[in-house]
Amino acid sequence: MSMLSNLELLRRVPLFSALTPSQSASIADAIVKRRFKRGEMVVEQGKKTDALFIILTGRARVTSADSRGREVILATLQPGDYIGEMSLIDDEPHSATVRTEIQTDVLMLNRAAFSRCLPENSSMAYNVMRGLVQRLRHADRKIESLALMDVYGRVARSLIEFAVDDGLGNLKIRDKISRQDLAKMVGASREMVSRVMKDLEERGFVHTQADGSMLVKERLSSLT
């Protein structure tokens, strides 16, 4: 890895193939080469690193864990794949942990250099990028809940995600959600979801109002 210049390394990365010569030179001055040992953590779920990592050689595993420490494997990354771009785009913590499976060489690009490759913050393209990142984060959470949670946990998480603050200190789902739609969201039968919802109402976790809206107690999160 040390025998090649930064600019030569950039030319080997498909992500940077569309850069102009001046952009490539600017990025080449900013990148840092780093080697991770087998089993070393690159980024950690729930934290920020403010850097983009591009895999040159090696392999890494993407995992997501729940509050009990149970893990689900989301992806395996190979040379050419990159890590940390979602957090750099929306400035939120990492949605998953990435750990190397074997010795792995990467290029690191800091936030300022990465931002120079992006459209202006006020542009429509940037807003579309942020929207796509939010969809990816939601997809990661969905995969995690399907893999690690029972139906109670999946229903509880879905209700919490739909609920918003009503301005009076309550969490409220304004639009009525049918049991059938909720069942499709959580990957369970309508009958099972109906039993779960009935139990949640009897235990005071949720309360369905006359207009079809629903009040959700914050303690419902204890089931996720």
Side-chain angles (χ1 to χ4, degrees), residues 16-33:
F16 299 120
S17 61
L19 294 180
T20 65
S22 61
Q23 287 176 322
S24 295
S26 175
I27 297 300
D29 289 338
I31 63 174
V32 176
K33 291 167 281 190

Side-chain angles (χ1 to χ4, degrees), residues 12 19 22 63 67 73 102 107 121-122 126 153 160 162 175 184-185 196 214 221:
R12 296 186 172 197
L19 294 180
S22 61
T63 62
S67 58
I73 298 173
I102 58 177
L107 295 179
N121 287 3
S122 59
Y126 190 80
I160 291 170
F162 278 114
D175 298 323
K184 292 178 180 178
M185 293 174 195
V196 170
M214 188 182 301
S221 61

Side-chain angles (χ1 to χ4, degrees), residues 41-62:
M41 188 183 297
V42 182
V43 300
E44 185 176 359
Q45 183 176 352
K47 296 186 178 180
K48 294 182 181 181
T49 53
D50 282 340
L52 178 73
F53 303 84
I54 304 99
I55 298 178
L56 293 175
T57 64
R59 188 173 66 247
R61 177 177 293 184
V62 184

Side-chain angles (χ1 to χ4, degrees), residues 117-223:
C117 301
L118 298 180
E120 293 295 326
N121 287 3
S122 59
S123 72
M124 186 178 73
Y126 190 80
N127 289 334
V128 170
M129 288 172 56
R130 287 179 61 89
L132 290 173
V133 166
Q134 291 305 308
R135 290 186 186 182
L136 285 171
R137 289 186 181 277
H138 181 73
D140 285 348
R141 291 194 297 269
K142 179 73 74 174
I143 293 170
E144 177 191 314
S145 66
L146 288 173
L148 300 178
M149 292 182 179
D150 58 15
V151 177
Y152 271 85
R154 300 202 297 270
V155 169
R157 173 172 285 189
S158 294
L159 294 178
I160 291 170
E161 289 179 346
F162 278 114
V164 296
D165 193 322
D166 65 356
L168 301 175
N170 302 311
L171 291 177
K172 187 174 183 179
I173 300 175
R174 293 191 174 92
D175 298 323
K176 183 178 180 180
I177 305 174
S178 71
R179 299 293 189 265
Q180 184 65 42
D181 286 346
L182 190 56
K184 292 178 180 178
M185 293 174 195
V186 303
S189 68
R190 182 185 182 283
E191 293 73 20
M192 183 62 185
V193 169
S194 294
R195 290 198 295 271
V196 170
M197 287 299 299
K198 180 180 180 181
D199 185 58
L200 292 178
E201 290 183 338
E202 290 177 348
R203 294 165 64 186
F205 285 106
V206 299
H207 175 66
T208 302
Q209 300 183 297
D211 61 359
S213 63
M214 188 182 301
L215 294 179
V216 179
K217 300 298 183 181
E218 289 188 6
R219 60 192 179 91
L220 182 63
S221 61
S222 65
L223 300 181

Side-chain angles (χ1 to χ4, degrees), residues 73-105:
I73 298 173
L74 300 176
T76 298
L77 304 180
Q78 307 284 350
D81 290 329
Y82 38 91
I83 302 159
E85 77 286 353
M86 289 166 56
S87 291
L88 291 181
I89 291 171
D90 68 2
D91 199 31
E92 294 292 329
H94 298 296
S95 62
T97 292
V98 179
R99 192 182 297 274
T100 58
E101 293 188 336
I102 58 177
Q103 179 176 285
T104 301
D105 292 331

